[in-house]
Amino acid sequence: MKRTTFYTYMTMATFLLSAAACKKDYQDPSGPSQDQAYSSPQAITDAAVGLQANYVKDRTGLIYTTITSGSLLSGETFVTNPGNADEGQLGTGGNTVLNNNVVVTGMWSYTNKILFDAEKVLRATNTVITDKGYASGVIAYTSIFKALALGVQANYWEQVPDTIGSPDATTRVGFIPGKQGYARAVRTIDNALNAIAANPISPSIAPFLPKGINVVNTLYALKARYALYAGDYAAALDAANKVDLTSAGISTFNFNPQVANPIFTLVSSTSNIYQVVDSTMGLPVALAPTPTDARIPFYMTRQATGLKFVMSGFFKSNIQSIPVFLPGEVTLIKAECYARNNDLVSGLTELNKVVTKKPSDDPFGIGANLPPVAAATIPDLLAQIYKHRHIEMFMSGQEIEDQRRFGRPTTERKRNFFPYPFVERNDNPNTPADPTF
């Protein structure tokens, strides 16, 4: 089987946005038929690998759209060039975010494409691939991106599609609350974990998958994330406890000169679209980082001239990797689960693992290196967990979900949820009304 590089699967990008509603068939008319595309283990693996390309590549991929949206809506970043009208709408927020906003439409389109393609891969794997260990590897890898796409939709839209719809466009999908979208992501991951338990992943699949993804560890980390967001604290804590937080357990999206880090290439290399605001990291005064917090110089660089601060972190070069999840996120998930269950002592213990962590003790070099904090009540603890999630996971795309979940004032963000793109509304009469904020 020929090894596949994931950037070869972007040929459909030129016509995707014109067929973006979640009921549509995403087949490339210049390529093979659906039956041909999923007729062999190699073809199925190639299609699975293509999911990562749709997630990471260019201005249309979900890396760019989620980080851009989360950071601008939460005030972590600001638009430096008003000529970038779509990002400018996000920076202003409210009703200025239009239904044809390119960033919003791109996010909607690519989440639906990933979900459509992932479902095709999963169905074909169960019928075409006879090597059960190889099949479980395909299922597990595919499920990572299916879960991520479900999570992105639930993060940014109040309601999300309940199915992928029908390729012949005869069925217009219904919608479910976003919280149920997170639950769907958890079920997707559980299905993958069950497949692995029944048939451990065969080493034979490793040469055909992009480097950087620790498949099993990522499944547990994402289960912890989305179970937390769904309010299932027992499942979130159980999954978080199974994540390897050492350097052996990390997962990254890796880049090269052909498929470059999109935030560096489009944003930080020129500062022509947006940049970080300042060392408050978008937090209000009462929760602002301690000036000696070592995560500030990790995520941003202070300049003597020009913009006072510019982004650093994972956006310093065109080939720099971006983590799929952070070890600190997993530890803070544990802290929040304990706090939500009124266990002040255990929650504070987990929180202080992040607060006192030295950069040298973190696989990515992220560490506050601060004295432990105190919290006398559960509300105090939750406020501290929110603060340190925001700092530890700066520009991660998770900001708006956190602000809603922790009940932060709406004055701290530009919108609660996005409007539904016209590409969906014009084709699907089931599309919900746009949220007022």
Side-chain angles (χ1 to χ4, degrees), residues 308-365:
K308 190 173 183 180
F309 292 92
V310 294
M311 66 183 70
S312 183
F314 301 107
F315 316 123
K316 294 183 291 188
S317 80
N318 66 326
I319 59 171
Q320 186 170 10
S321 299
I322 296 175
V324 182
F325 66 91
L326 293 175
E329 176 190 0
V330 177
T331 302
L332 289 166
I333 288 172
K334 297 179 188 180
E336 186 176 343
C337 288
Y338 285 124
R340 301 291 181 186
N341 285 308
N342 297 308
D343 187 340
L344 180 66
V345 173
S346 298
L348 189 58
T349 297
E350 294 298 328
L351 170 62
N352 276 321
K353 290 178 183 178
V354 171
V355 173
T356 61
K357 181 178 57 175
K358 294 178 171 59
S360 59
D361 294 330
D362 183 87
F364 294 104

Side-chain angles (χ1 to χ4, degrees), residues 390-406:
H390 193 99
I391 302 169
E392 185 85 2
M393 300 161 58
F394 185 68
M395 291 186 67
S396 66
Q398 305 300 313
E399 299 87 346
I400 303 305
E401 167 57 40
D402 276 7
Q403 290 184 335
R404 295 192 305 260
R405 194 172 71 259
F406 283 88

Side-chain angles (χ1 to χ4, degrees), residues 201-373:
I201 297 174
S202 170
S204 64
I205 195 174
F208 307 107
L209 299 180
K211 303 299 182 183
I213 305 292
N214 183 318
V215 172
V216 175
N217 218 38
T218 300
L219 287 170
Y220 281 123
L222 293 181
K223 179 177 179 179
R225 176 190 294 175
Y226 296 132
L228 174 73
Y229 294 174
D232 188 344
Y233 305 126
L237 182 59
D238 179 70
N241 282 328
K242 293 175 180 174
V243 180
D244 180 355
L245 301 181
T246 70
S247 57
I250 64 172
S251 280
T252 56
F253 296 120
N254 295 343
F255 298 96
N256 56 54
Q258 289 72 44
V259 181
N261 181 311
I263 303 299
F264 173 82
T265 304
L266 298 167
V267 182
S268 61
S269 63
T270 64
S271 296
N272 192 44
I273 301 180
Y274 60 87
Q275 261 298 352
V276 293
V277 173
D278 56 32
S279 58
T280 65
M281 305 180 85
L283 285 166
V285 173
L287 296 177
T290 303
T292 55
D293 192 319
R295 292 170 296 189
I296 297 174
F298 176 86
Y299 279 116
M300 60 186 68
T301 301
R302 191 180 186 112
Q303 298 192 130
T305 60
L307 293 171
K308 190 173 183 180
F309 292 92
V310 294
M311 66 183 70
S312 183
F314 301 107
F315 316 123
K316 294 183 291 188
S317 80
N318 66 326
I319 59 171
Q320 186 170 10
S321 299
I322 296 175
V324 182
F325 66 91
L326 293 175
E329 176 190 0
V330 177
T331 302
L332 289 166
I333 288 172
K334 297 179 188 180
E336 186 176 343
C337 288
Y338 285 124
R340 301 291 181 186
N341 285 308
N342 297 308
D343 187 340
L344 180 66
V345 173
S346 298
L348 189 58
T349 297
E350 294 298 328
L351 170 62
N352 276 321
K353 290 178 183 178
V354 171
V355 173
T356 61
K357 181 178 57 175
K358 294 178 171 59
S360 59
D361 294 330
D362 183 87
F364 294 104
I366 303 171
N369 197 23
L370 294 170
V373 298

